[in-house]
């Protein structure tokens, strides 16, 4: 309205402002709503919907889908035809329906009539009964009533009959109509079912990319701002794993992981090639799926990957770029930078295995294959002794990693000790002992004690370190026992010693590899090559410059006498053998070979440096007091060195790795690492390293700051250069960093970091991860096996060969290769294709390779059967686990060494062995294979044997040493094998069953279903493959099927007790009552029949064969050592257990022999021999 | 015994030839000879006395310790060379009776046996001691059976290969079983002589095999109906090669 002029404000402009501000508010409100509604994660989800729709479309266009659609169309055509036909009979149908209606009407009438008749009948009965009761049965009234009743009953019967007829008529009519419509019904059903397989895809496609307008509109409305609370297509996905909490400022809150909002298909198969974030998680069999051990709903994402689970933007999640280049790209594309103030950034993809540590502390060995980098870090942590200085509460190894110094003065001399302590790797590049002195914060240009401390001059790091070395070594030698050792009792023969050294087993754990890489690569002598297992003990090159012959003799005779916790076992060497080895070591130039430029010598120290160090170490005492001591008890340099040495040792932590008399209880010097990865990163002292590294690498300021935000950077830098954090700092001598320098390779640094980055404080509830007692026992056993280096000598798992058969089917079997045509030795499994290339160069194309199965393989055959493979290029071989010593020993037997080609056998005779005998030499003279040992050996015997080995196989020169076992270790190893046998049993049963009945998994599943057991081919295949889930659900059913078809198999190993029925009185008494001559009869059978004693020892008596290559173990051990089920299988057909063994099948099931000695079928002969064998100690045997 | 001798003789002089009319076929006969200087005779086998109890001694009371890996007769003929010819379209005759390899005097007699695919091999133990048959077959089934005195062990062989045969109780024993998928075969006698019969007319190359020497092929030989074509072939001393794992 017009301006009245009586207001102070101008209405028009007010209106204008009002309109403007309203508009502004409206726009702002809309903008707010839009801004809140428009989220990046919705874009991702939209993109994913497009991807899924495209995938569904592609599926529908695949050949299979097209075939289904064609089928559907065809059936639709049939349906139409059938309906037409029916329509043409419409008249008939209508008539029939009318007829049906009439019939139903008639039925209704008949039913009613019957009902009425029933009522009349009941009433009449009542009258009759009442009358009879009141007036008696003979009363004329009663009789009349009864007659009436009978009439009525007849009438009722007639009407019932009529009703039944009517019912029948109705049914017949219905059937008639159904028949007419039958065709249509059938085709309708077929049509409905035809498209079942693609129905799901169609539904999905209809939902994702609808073709009709209403659905499209509906989709838009569902996600509209303001409407999307009802039933949106785009929604946040949350996982709340139960019991997994997140520590936030001293309180525990539940985790809410929203990662799947953008990473939509993370737990679904089929997206492995899509760009992130639409890629499936790797190893879905292990992670995220419902069947895996780590289902998504139970674990979420952040418990393993860390990061901010509740954030929905790329930046805020604290995603971690895998490397610098990715970081720059993310910065450019997404504006990414490290999310500040989030204490637990996402782990780098390379380090994600670190998260396994928090749950799997008691199953580290079991997961080693699935988390190889972390497992390697764990092993390195143990090997290099990190745990000795840095406490990790749960770490199972507690022994001191370095040798005891309690008697080091008997072992070596002061010059060696000082040169060694100065720089261990100068003498032995592969040693595990790190460099402790002369490191960068004590470098020759670094001033350690400045002149203004009152010393009068600047003392530099090198003289400081020299003084320290002298002090430490003097101290340690002063504490050591130093009585002279007894001399070597007999004269040693170096040539014989060389042979003993190579045969008795030293090379299983030790190597003598050259110092430089080039020399190592050129090395052909197996003794001088490095494998993982023969680095268990130190490299022995140059050892003659270090130790004395007397010490070496005492050491190899009994290592534990010098160092109680040593891992070197006792080889039970005779004095002569030990003396020969000592002679060999001190005469062969290899043991005097030292790196170029190295020579032992005492370090030169300066007295004034010693005194300055004393002032720092004894800083509680007055200077005047110290000066007095310098004049009196410390006047002699040696006394001062000893006093300083003790302080240095305690400061540097030598006592953590080495046992030093008097310092056994001193505390380790390192930071506790138990919860290191939970430390917030601001608590780590990066020092000036970020700036220093920025200068070196040309980083920007932001990059330098970013370096400080990740705790792994600190860890890696610390491992690489432990003392670098002291750079540019001014520190007094006692404040400087003390961690020694290990010279790790980058790969080692990564592995150890991966392990240490996993030591967090988040204790996952134990309900989530409870290893069964059996698994814990297996883990313990595996750890002991690793620490004792069993695999250096023994094969524990057979090799695996992958090949394609002639039909193109891929197989992966436990097997070995047989000799190629024209060769004498079989090809190696390691480097198989390289060997094939070499072979083809000299012999021409290789057309086929023969693979021998070492386990029953359904579809291929039993153990010992061969498969001819023509596709040689496609063969991949994984070598067996263990048995590294077998080749060196076999080669030594065949080729000898530079001095002689023959070998001294156990009987003292020298014999030569030719390549033709390679197989026998390998199986007879090399350490035995322990695959499946739990099924073969009685566990208690195994345990006793481990504690106290004896020559079971008399022909062996390689010797099983006597290990010293800590509490529970021997039992853990015996339990491991028994546990493996139990765990492997269901899979083995399944394989044997399928092979024996020659059936495929599909056939077996069908048969099982017929028996009423739930089974699918996938289940049977899973049992054969040994997968835990399938075994737990399906093994019982499979065994029921096996019993049905009469498949017999020895039962699984009993966890607790070994039942030996052959020794039980309930077996023996009736047997001996029936056949008093039983034992002598069977003894005759054994000796006169197959004559076992031609090869087997019998209660100490040697066999007929005088050549050791033919010897077999003493039969007297069988009753305590072997399991009867195994022996039975062995006697029946040895080649099915160890293909190629020299033991013949003495009682073949398909051929009866020795009937004159014991008339019975072969199976019974075997039982008789079993009983005899297990009672050898009781039977009076005739020789 | 006579039965076995006949069988052995048949095996030694080429028992493999299909049934065809005798006037439509020809034959090849001749010698396989050693080329070049004869090598020194091999030393006797080392037979452990204790293990050799029960081995049948010869007529002179001693054990036959001759090493028969490479036997060259006085005329230069090589014994135990296996000759095979694959004739396209010809039928391979599988003997109905098992082909025997005997253990006598703790040796395998004959040292080399040839049989066609599908034939049965019979191991017989003629000694007074046990023997175990340990075959090292790659494609056929390997067996390791203990064969009692005077008894047999049979095995059907259905894949072509050369099978080593050993006895673990007497480690010096060695024999060979050549299972051939060729249609015609023969094995040379002590003087290197052989005869292959029943060959349809044509040109053929004969493949030969010997345990110590490489295998190889002879030159082409023309066969005419009703005639016998002579062939003298020399083999030189090429030892079996080895793969790359030799030192």
């Amino acid at each position: 309205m017009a301006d009245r002029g009586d207001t102070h404000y101008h209405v028009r402009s007010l209106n204008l402002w009002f309109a403007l501000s309203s508009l502004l508010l409206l726009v702002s409100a809309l903008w707010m709503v839009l801004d809140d509604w428009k989220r990046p994660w919705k874009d991702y989800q939209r993109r994913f919907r497009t991807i899924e729709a495209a995938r569904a479309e592609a599926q529908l266009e695949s050949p299979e889908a097209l075939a289904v659609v064609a089928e559907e169309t065809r059936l639709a055509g049939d349906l139409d035809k059938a309906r037409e036909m029916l329509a043409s009979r419409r008249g008939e149908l209508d008539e029939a329906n009318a007829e049906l209606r009439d019939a139903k009407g008639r039925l209704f009438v008949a039913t009613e009539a019957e009902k009425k008749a029933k009522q009349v009948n009941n009433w009449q009965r009542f009258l009759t009964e009442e009358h009879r009761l009141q007036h008696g049965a003979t009363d004329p009234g009663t009789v009349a009533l009864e007659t009436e009743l009978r009439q009525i009953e007849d009438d009722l019967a007639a009407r019932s009959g009529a009703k039944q007829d009517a019912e029948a008529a109705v049914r017949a009519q219905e059937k008639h109509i159904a028949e007419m419509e039958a065709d249509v019904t059938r085709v309708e059903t077929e049509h409905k079912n035809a498209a079942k397989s693609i129905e799901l895809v169609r539904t999905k496609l209809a939902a994702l990319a609808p073709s009709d307008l209403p659905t499209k509109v509906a989709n838009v409305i569902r996600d509209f701002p303001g409407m999307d609370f009802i039933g949106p297509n785009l929604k946040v996905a949350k996982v709340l794993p139960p019991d997994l909490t997140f520590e936030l400022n001293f309180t525990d809150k539940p985790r809410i992981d929203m990662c799947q909002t953008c990473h939509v298909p993370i737990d679904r198969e089929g997206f492995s090639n899509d760009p992130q974030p639409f890629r499936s998680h790797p190893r879905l069999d292990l992670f995220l799926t419902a069947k895996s051990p780590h289902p998504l709903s139970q674990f979420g994402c952040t418990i393993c990957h860390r990061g901010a689970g509740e954030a929905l933007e790329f930046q805020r999640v604290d995603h971690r770029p895998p490397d610098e280049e990715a970081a720059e790209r993310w910065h450019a594309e997404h504006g990414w930078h490290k999310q500040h103030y989030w204490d637990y950034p996402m782990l780098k993809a390379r380090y994600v295995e670190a998260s396994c540590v928090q749950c799997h502390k008691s199953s580290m060995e079991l997961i080693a294959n699935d988390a190889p980098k972390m497992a390697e870090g764990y092993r390195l942590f143990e090997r290099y002794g990190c745990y000795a200085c840095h406490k990790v509460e749960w770490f199972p190894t507690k022994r001191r990693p370095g040798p005891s110094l309690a008697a080091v003065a008997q072992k070596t001399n002061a010059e060696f000790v000082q040169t060694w302590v100065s720089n261990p790797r100068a003498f032995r590049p592969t040693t595990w002992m790190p460099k402790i002195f002369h490191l960068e914060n004590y470098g020759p240009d670094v001033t350690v004690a400045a002149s203004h401390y009152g010393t009068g001059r600047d003392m530099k790091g090198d003289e400081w370190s020299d003084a320290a070395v002298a002090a430490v070594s003097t101290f340690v030698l002063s504490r050591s026992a130093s009585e002279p050792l007894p001399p070597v009792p007999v004269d040693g023969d170096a040539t014989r010693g060389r042979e003993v050294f190579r045969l008795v087993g030293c090379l299983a754990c030790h190597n003598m590899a050259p110092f430089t890489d080039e020399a190592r690569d050129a090395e052909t002598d197996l003794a001088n090559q490095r494998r993982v297992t023969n680095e268990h003990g130190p490299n022995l090159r140059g050892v003659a410059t270090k130790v004395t012959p007397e010490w070496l003799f005492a050491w190899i005779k009994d290592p534990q006498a010098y160092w109680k916790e040593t891992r070197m076992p006792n080889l039970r060497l005779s004095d002569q053998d030990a003396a020969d080895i000592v002679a060999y070591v001190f005469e062969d130039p290899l043991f005097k070979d030292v790196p170029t430029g190295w020579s032992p010598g005492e370090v030169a120290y300066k007295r004034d440096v010693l005194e300055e160090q004393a002032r720092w170490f004894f800083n509680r005492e007055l200077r005047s007091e110290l000066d007095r001591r310098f004049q009196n008890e410390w006047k002699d340099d040696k006394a001062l060195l000893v006093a300083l040495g003790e302080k240095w040792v305690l400061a540097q932590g030598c006592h953590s790795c080495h046992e030093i008399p008097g310092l056994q209880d001193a505390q380790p010097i390192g930071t506790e690492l138990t919860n290191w990865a939970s430390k917030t990163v601001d608590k780590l002292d990066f020092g000036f390293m970020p700036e220093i590294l920025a200068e070196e690498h040309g980083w920007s300021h932001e990059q330098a700051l970013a370096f400080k935000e990740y705790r792994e950077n600190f860890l890696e830098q610390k491992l690489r250069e432990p003392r670098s954090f002291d750079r540019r700092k001014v520190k007094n001598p006692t404040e400087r960093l003390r961690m020694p320098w290990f010279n790790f390779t980058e790969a080692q640094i990564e592995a150890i970091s991966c392990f240490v980055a996993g030591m967090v404080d988040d204790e996952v509830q134990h309900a989530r991860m409870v290893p069964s007692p059996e698994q814990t026992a297996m883990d313990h056993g595996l750890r002991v096996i690793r620490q004792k280096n069993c695999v250096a000598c023994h094969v524990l798992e057979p090799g695996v060969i992958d090949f394609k058969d002639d039909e193109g089917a891929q197989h992966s079997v436990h097997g070995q290769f047989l000799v190629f045509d024209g060769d004498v030795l079989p090809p190696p499994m390691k480097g198989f294709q390289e060997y094939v290339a070499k072979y083809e160069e000299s012999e021409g194309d290789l057309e086929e390779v023969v693979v021998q199965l070492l386990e029953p393989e359904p579809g291929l055959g039993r153990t010992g059967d061969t498969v001819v493979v023509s596709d040689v290029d496609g063969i991949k071989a994984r070598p067996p686990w263990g048995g590294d010593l077998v080749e060196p020993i076999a080669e030594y037997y065949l080729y000898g060494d530079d001095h002689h080609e023959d070998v001294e056998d156990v009987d003292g005779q020298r014999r030569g062995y030719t390549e033709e005998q390679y197989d026998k030499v390998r199986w007879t003279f090399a350490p035995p294979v322990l695959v499946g040992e739990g099924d073969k050996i009685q566990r208690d015997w195994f345990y006793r044997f481990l504690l106290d080995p004896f020559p079971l196989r008399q022909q062996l020169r390689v010797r099983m040493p006597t290990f010293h076992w800590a509490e529970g270790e021997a039992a853990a190893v015996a339990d491991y094998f028994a546990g493996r046998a139990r765990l492997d049993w269901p899979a083995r049963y399944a394989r044997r069953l399928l092979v024996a009945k020659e059936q495929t998994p599909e056939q077996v599943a069908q048969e099982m279903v017929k028996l009423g057991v739930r089974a699918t081919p996938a289940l049977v295949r899973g049992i054969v493959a040994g997968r835990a889930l399938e075994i737990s659900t399906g093994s019982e059913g499979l065994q029921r099927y096996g019993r049905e078809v009469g498949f017999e198999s020895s039962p699984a190993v009993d966890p607790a007790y070994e039942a030996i029925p052959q020794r039980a009185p309930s077996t023996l008494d009736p047997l001996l009552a029936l056949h008093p001559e039983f034992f002598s009869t069977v003894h005759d059978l054994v000796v006169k029949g197959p004559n076992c004693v031609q090869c087997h020892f019998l209660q100490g008596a040697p066999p007929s064969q005088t050549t050791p290559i033919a010897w077999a173990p003493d039969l007297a051990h069988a009753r305590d050592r072997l399991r009867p089920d195994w022996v039975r299988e062995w006697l029946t057909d040895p080649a099915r257990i160890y293909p190629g063994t020299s033991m013949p099948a003495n009682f073949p099931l398909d051929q009866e022999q020795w009937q004159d000695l014991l008339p019975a079928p072969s199976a019974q002969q075997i039982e008789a021999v079993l009983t005899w064998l297990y009672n050898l100690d009781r039977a009076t045997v005739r020789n | 015994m006579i039965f076995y001798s006949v069988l052995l003789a048949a095996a030694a002089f080429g028992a493999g030839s299909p049934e065809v009319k005798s006037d439509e076929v020809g034959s090849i006969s001749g010698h396989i000879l050693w080329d070049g200087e004869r090598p020194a005779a091999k030393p006797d086998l080392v037979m452990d006395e204790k293990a050799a109890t029960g081995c049948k001694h010869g007529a002179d009371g001693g054990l036959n310790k001759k090493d028969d890996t490479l036997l060259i007769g006085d005329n230069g003929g090589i014994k135990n060379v296996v000759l095979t010819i694959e004739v396209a379209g010809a039928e391979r005759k599988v003997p109905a009776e098992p082909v025997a390899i005997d253990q006598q005097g703790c040796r395998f007699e004959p040292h080399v046996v040839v049989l066609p695919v599908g034939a049965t091999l019979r191991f017989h133990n003629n000694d007074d001691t046990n023997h175990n048959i340990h075959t090292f077959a790659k494609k056929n089934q390997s067996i390791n059976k203990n064969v009692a005195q005077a008894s047999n062990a049979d095995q059907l062989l259905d894949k072509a290969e050369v099978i080593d045969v050993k006895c673990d109780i007497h480690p010096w024993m060695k024999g060979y079983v050549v299972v051939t998928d060729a249609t015609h075969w023969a094995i040379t006698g002590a003087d290197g002589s052989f005869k292959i019969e029943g060959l349809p007319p044509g040109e053929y190359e004969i493949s030969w095999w010997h345990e110590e020497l490489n295998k190889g092929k002879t030159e082409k030989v023309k066969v005419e109906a009703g005639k016998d074509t002579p062939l003298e072939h020399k083999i030189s001393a090429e030892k079996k090669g080895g793969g790359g794992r030799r030192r």
Side-chain angles (χ1 to χ4, degrees), chain A residues 822-823 826 1089 1105-1106 1146 1151, chain B residues 48 130 138 146 152 169 241 243 245:
Chain A
D823 258 0
Q1105 296 280 340
T1106 49
N1146 289 307
Q1151 188 178 349
Chain B
D48 189 87
N130 289 338
K138 286 192 273 195
N146 207 321
N152 304 327
I169 303 175
R245 286 218 293 164

Side-chain angles (χ1 to χ4, degrees), chain A residues 601-644:
Chain A
E602 294 207 12
V603 300
Y605 58 86
K606 302 197 176 102
R607 172 84 194 192
D608 58 347
V609 175
L610 291 181
E611 291 182 1
E612 181 62 22
Q613 288 185 349
R615 280 185 213 110
W616 282 101
F617 277 124
F618 293 95
N619 60 355
R620 294 272 170 84
E621 304 200 22
L622 297 169
R623 287 280 177 114
S624 53
E625 178 58 28
L626 282 177
D627 283 335
R628 195 192 57 75
R629 290 174 89 168
F630 287 149
Q631 301 305 319
N632 296 334
E633 66 247 47
W634 292 342
K635 184 144 190 248
D636 183 26
D637 278 353
K638 181 144 188 285
L640 180 53
L641 282 170
V642 169
L644 271 182

Side-chain angles (χ1 to χ4, degrees), chain A residues 1021-1041:
Chain A
R1021 266 194 284 272
I1023 300 178
V1024 165
R1027 283 197 278 270
L1029 181 65
E1030 279 84 349
I1031 287 177
S1032 60
T1033 49
S1035 189
E1036 282 283 332
L1038 188 66
Q1039 288 172 50
R1040 240 180 71 192
Y1041 166 68

Side-chain angles (χ1 to χ4, degrees), chain A residues 979-990:
Chain A
R980 274 306 300 271
R982 257 199 309 287
L983 270 179
D984 290 344
W985 187 83
R988 269 190 40 228
Y989 179 91

